[in-house]
Amino acid sequence: MNDGDTADDIMDATYRALCTHGYADLTMQDIADEAEKSKAALHYHYDSKHDLLCAFLEYLYDGFVDRIEDPDGEDPHERLLSLVDSVLDKPDDGSEEFGTAILEIRAHAPYEQGFRERLTKFDDYLVDELEAILEDGIADGTFESDLDSEDTARFIVTVLTGAATERVTTGRPVECTRQTLREYVETHLLNGQREVEA
């Protein structure tokens, strides 16, 4: 087995262990048990639980990028809505337990620089993707010409993050957020002078 296979096995084991134990109670032994490896073997690759979880966040980031890059759509309006849908829709392997564990990790980000840096990468990537779509839409007349693309992108990311948090903490579905964002795009972003198909 090569190092890539070993790393993937450990990442998969970390996912399962987080679903079972959550963040606060998670131990290196829990992950080792899920990976069917010794704790010493785990420490060969990662010095601590913190280091392993930082690597896990990098692993999740790669999957996040793969999932949301190149949104479908014939024009910037469609691509924007498609990107929003991709973020709001849980990945196929997403579970409530895992969502709770990630929320716990997010709660520790203010005190853990490694977590904070890696979680910021998610937001920054999404802001960049949204901003690029908005800029394309401003250039071709789809969106209002005086739109501040960066501020708008950051606002949308804030709304999406809030929706994800509410889904985990209260079980509230994201459909209300999806519909509200669609209405926001239509009433505040689309160029009123441009005819848009319903």
Side-chain angles (χ1 to χ4, degrees), residues 28-96:
M28 290 289 273
Q29 188 62 58
D30 295 328
I31 299 170
D33 290 344
E34 288 288 348
E36 298 183 347
K37 299 180 185 299
S38 68
K39 186 176 174 182
L42 220 57
H43 277 291
Y44 176 79
H45 297 281
Y46 305 100
D47 290 338
S48 65
K49 182 178 90 167
H50 178 269
D51 290 342
L52 195 161
L53 288 176
C54 284
F56 183 65
L57 288 173
E58 294 281 0
Y59 175 78
L60 291 181
Y61 174 80
D62 290 341
F64 178 73
V65 170
D66 287 344
R67 184 162 63 87
I68 72 168
E69 66 180 349
D70 298 326
D72 295 332
E74 298 294 325
D75 57 41
H77 180 205
E78 290 183 2
R79 285 163 47 217
L80 178 60
L81 296 181
S82 177
L83 180 55
V84 166
D85 285 342
S86 294
V87 176
L88 287 175
D89 293 337
K90 287 197 301 184
D92 293 338
D93 58 353
S95 72
E96 296 304 325

Side-chain angles (χ1 to χ4, degrees), residues 1-10 35 37:
M1 180 178 292
N2 62 42
D3 288 343
D5 291 335
T6 300
D8 286 344
D9 287 345
I10 293 173
K37 299 180 185 299

Side-chain angles (χ1 to χ4, degrees), residues 141-145 185-196:
T142 298
F143 300 128
E144 294 284 0
S145 60
V185 170
E186 291 176 7
T187 59
H188 289 77
L189 306 188
L190 288 180
N191 186 344
Q193 302 303 311
R194 182 185 177 105
E195 183 178 349
V196 180

Side-chain angles (χ1 to χ4, degrees), residues 8 21 25 31 61 100 105 109 114 117 129 155 157 159 169 184:
D8 286 344
H21 302 282
D25 295 329
I31 299 170
Y61 174 80
T100 300
I105 291 174
E117 289 174 352
E129 289 294 295
F155 169 72
V157 169
V159 173
T169 57
Y184 168 74

